[in-house]
Amino acid sequence: MPDPTARILAAPLRPHRLDVLVAGGGLLCGLLLWTLRLHGGPPQFGLPAWLTLVSLTAMSGAELLRRTAPLAALAVALPALALDICSGTLIATVLMFTDVVYAAVLYGPPVAARRIPLYCVLATFLATVVLAALWHDPQVVIFSIAIALGTIAPAWTGAIIRNHRDAAQAARLRAEQTALLAEMDRTQAVAGERARMARELHDLVAGHLSAIAIHATAAQTIDDPAATREALGVIRENSVQGLAEMRRLIGLLRKAKAGGDGDEPAATPTLDGLEALLDRARANGAASGLSFLLEAPRSLPKPVAPVELAAYRIVQESLTNALKHAAPGEVLVRLAQDGGGALTVTVRSPYDDRPGPRAPGSGAGLTGMRERIALLGGEFEAGPESADGTVWLVRAALPAPEEEAHR
């Protein structure tokens, strides 16, 4: 079995189908002209006239290489043309030579494409000077024009076409690169939007679902009708609130109009809603022995919307984690803002064995908080604060935007 690699490497050396047609057509035309004795002139230097057939055959062979090996074809065509001129000149041979020059510029390497037109100009100039010096006749001008038409014209035509072809290829590559960059930007934008939606969805419903899971487990394990009714009430309340949050998020995703029902929740939570957030956490965590305290300056300056939203979500997720994992005790939420406008959110909760059930966690909450802070260029840490691991600390440092820092 032949080697596929060798076949692939040998494939470019095969003459192109059009080159075969050009070579065959030129050879047949030359033979027809020879048969009809339509020569360009008598042989020179005593050479036999049949040598024009040799030059014709060599030029046809050069035409076979015009696309696959253009410089080799030009190297064969130059002596073939010289032999044809000296032995009688067939117009078919001259025309094929002009095509070989054209192909050498169009299909040859870039260096040859730049130099061949210049060499053609130089050769035409030198031939004109030599003819004018040796042959004092006005026909020198006609011969000079003929030489230019056979060398300069095809060379510069090939150069012009090659420049247009290279420009078209460059434009096509730029278009492909632009399309690729646009697709990469679109993919990154979609990935970023999906991550943002995942964080928002988690922050909106995780607290409600955690409270539902905890109280549902308590209702199953505690054989007390009053406690069961209380747990079912908390479950219903969190279900209703969770559905309302889901409706709000779906409305935002569907680009709902801003002027909607006034009873709908605000599109973007603010720090003014922290008290309501803690009240809900107190109601959900009372059965687990949890209390919640908020410490914040009364004159807390209003941060910009992204910082305010991030701070709210940090507190919300920290309270959700406390409801799921904290031991009985006090959960302290502290907000502080320095003179430059940087906001620091700290949440401390007891972390130890708890008598009630715990809701399972996946770590998505901590990941979402860390991503939020990273997007704003802040600092985030979460983990045990004390040496015995009984206090869990969540701390987020949100930097002030440049316009506020220099205000």
Side-chain angles (χ1 to χ4, degrees):
M1 181 179 294
D3 186 6
T5 304
R7 184 171 65 252
I8 293 174
L9 292 177
L13 297 179
R14 296 177 181 176
H16 194 273
R17 182 182 60 181
L18 295 179
D19 298 341
V20 175
L21 293 177
V22 171
L27 181 61
L28 293 177
C29 290
L31 292 175
L32 179 61
L33 293 175
W34 166 264
T35 303
L36 298 177
R37 299 182 181 276
L38 297 177
H39 299 274
Q44 304 294 326
F45 310 109
L47 296 176
W50 58 266
L51 287 179
T52 55
L53 296 179
V54 176
S55 61
L56 175 65
T57 305
M59 195 68 71
S60 299
E63 284 282 47
L64 293 175
L65 303 176
R66 63 187 297 273
R67 200 184 304 257
T68 57
L71 295 185
L74 184 60
V76 173
L78 285 172
L81 178 67
L83 179 61
D84 179 73
I85 294 174
C86 294
S87 60
T89 309
L90 285 174
I91 189 63
T93 305
V94 176
L95 291 178
M96 284 193 290
F97 173 79
T98 60
D99 182 67
V100 170
V101 175
Y102 165 82
V105 176
L106 183 60
Y107 302 116
V111 176
R114 290 193 300 268
R115 293 180 178 178
I116 289 176
L118 300 179
Y119 292 160
C120 290
V121 173
L122 180 60
T124 302
F125 175 76
L126 293 178
T128 302
V129 171
V130 172
L131 288 175
L134 298 179
W135 187 22
H136 301 284
D137 193 283
Q139 293 186 0
V140 171
V141 178
I142 298 177
F143 280 101
S144 299
I145 294 174
I147 295 173
L149 291 176
T151 56
I152 297 177
W156 284 100
T157 302
I160 293 172
I161 295 178
R162 181 179 182 128
N163 290 336
H164 284 291
R165 184 193 64 184
D166 294 343
Q169 290 179 350
R172 185 164 53 251
L173 288 176
R174 285 194 299 269
E176 293 175 355
Q177 292 174 355
T178 301
L180 179 60
L181 292 176
E183 179 63 20
M184 292 175 62
D185 291 341
R186 189 194 67 82
T187 302
Q188 292 177 356
V190 170
E193 184 64 16
R194 291 179 64 180
R196 187 188 68 82
M197 291 172 57
R199 288 194 300 268
E200 290 294 327
L201 181 61
H202 180 275
D203 293 341
L204 285 175
V205 302
H208 299 300
L209 293 179
S210 299
I212 291 173
I214 292 172
H215 286 84
T217 305
Q220 289 178 336
T221 56
I222 299 176
D223 188 13
D224 185 357
T228 300
R229 284 194 299 272
E230 180 181 358
L232 292 176
V234 174
I235 290 173
R236 182 187 181 282
E237 179 183 357
N238 281 275
S239 300
V240 173
Q241 293 177 353
L243 288 174
E245 296 285 354
M246 286 294 296
R247 283 197 299 269
R248 183 182 69 81
L249 180 60
I250 293 173
L252 291 176
L253 294 177
R254 290 179 176 176
K255 299 181 179 180
K257 296 182 179 180
D261 189 356
D263 295 335
E264 289 295 326
T268 303
T270 64
L271 294 180
D272 296 335
L274 289 183
E275 281 292 351
L277 193 63
L278 264 73
D279 290 341
R280 188 162 61 244
R282 293 186 184 102
N284 294 331
S288 301
L290 292 171
S291 61
F292 297 86
L293 178 63
L294 174 64
E295 290 186 0
R298 293 184 178 179
S299 60
L300 182 67
K302 192 74 170 177
V304 294
V307 173
E308 187 172 16
L309 176 61
Y312 182 92
R313 293 304 188 197
I314 294 298
V315 175
Q316 183 182 36
E317 181 59 29
S318 299
L319 296 180
T320 300
N321 288 340
L323 290 173
K324 292 163 61 176
H325 306 295
E330 183 181 75
V331 178
L332 177 61
V333 179
R334 178 179 287 117
L335 273 70
Q337 195 170 30
D338 59 18
L343 183 64
T344 302
V345 180
T346 306
V347 182
R348 289 182 173 86
S349 56
Y351 188 75
D352 204 349
D353 294 335
R354 57 187 291 174
R358 280 182 174 172
S362 62
L366 292 177
T367 301
M369 288 191 288
R370 187 172 289 107
E371 289 177 351
R372 285 185 183 276
I373 303 304
L375 289 174
L376 296 174
E379 298 178 358
F380 176 80
E381 57 178 321
E385 181 185 27
S386 58
D388 55 0
T390 58
V391 176
W392 186 269
L393 172 68
V394 175
R395 180 180 177 276
L398 297 165
E402 293 184 0
E403 57 270 18
E404 281 212 355
H406 299 289
R407 185 177 298 174

